[in-house]
Amino acid sequence: MKILMVCLGNICRSPLAEGILRDKVKKANLSWQVDSAGTSNYHIGEPPHQLSQKVAKLNGIDISYQQGRQFRKEDILAFDRIYVMDTDNYNEVKRMSRALWDENKVTLLLNELYPLENREVPDPWYGTEEGYHRVFQLISDACDVIIEKYSVLNIG
Ligand code: 4NP
């Protein structure tokens, strides 16, 4: 399995999602590949937001080594599943993918936790540390479902 986590900046939510899923993949002894990207070019090459790093670390996960990158249409081919944090991300990934768009690969991350409800992972960018903790928990719960669901398929 190759999984890509996508948000707007690749600095708050998707770096957390990458770190959290990577941690669970390792603990489950799976050999999946996990990456993240942003639909914008705002933070290319930057490390995750200080509060994302802090909240990850409080939960025993190091994401400090990650570097922001922008989504590219070839990611649709390179990954099996692409999880977006909100509807804007979904529409941007669709627009940027052009002819390579594959709706079977792309879904809102929280649809794993709350199927068909199209809930969003809120953007903590303008908020306080509390928002980052809430985002961590939502993403972690969704990633538990991903591990459970796809590890039984015994892919990768
Ligand atoms: P993210 O949050 O999409 O979770 O990384 C944001 C990061 C940066 C900006 C917006 C959202 N920004 O406008 O720079």
Side-chain angles (χ1 to χ4, degrees), residues 82-152:
I82 297 178
Y83 289 107
V84 294
M85 303 298 131
D86 62 36
T87 306
D88 284 347
N89 305 152
Y90 184 91
N91 291 334
E92 270 300 283
V93 165
K94 185 174 182 177
R95 187 186 67 78
M96 295 169 83
S97 301
R98 297 168 178 262
L100 298 178
W101 171 249
D102 181 349
E103 71 173 15
N104 295 316
K105 287 189 177 181
V106 186
T107 193
L108 286 161
L109 176 65
L110 292 189
N111 276 346
E112 292 289 9
L113 199 53
Y114 307 105
L116 304 173
E117 292 190 20
N118 291 338
R119 292 200 203 186
E120 301 186 327
V121 178
D123 191 344
W125 174 251
Y126 296 105
T128 63
E129 182 175 330
E130 182 51 38
Y132 288 77
H133 285 282
R134 180 171 150 65
V135 161
F136 184 98
Q137 199 53 55
L138 278 171
I139 292 172
S140 180
D141 291 349
C143 288
D144 282 337
V145 177
I146 292 171
I147 293 279
E148 204 173 312
K149 191 166 154 184
Y150 293 102
S151 59
V152 294

Side-chain angles (χ1 to χ4, degrees), residues 7-14 42-43 123-126:
C7 64
L8 172 62
N10 193 208
I11 198 162
C12 299
R13 292 166 292 177
S14 60
Y42 304 156
H43 300 284
D123 191 344
W125 174 251
Y126 296 105

Side-chain angles (χ1 to χ4, degrees), residues 40-55:
S40 76
N41 60 5
Y42 304 156
H43 300 284
I44 292 172
E46 292 180 27
H49 191 284
Q50 282 303 320
L51 288 173
S52 287
Q53 289 196 44
K54 179 180 175 183
V55 169

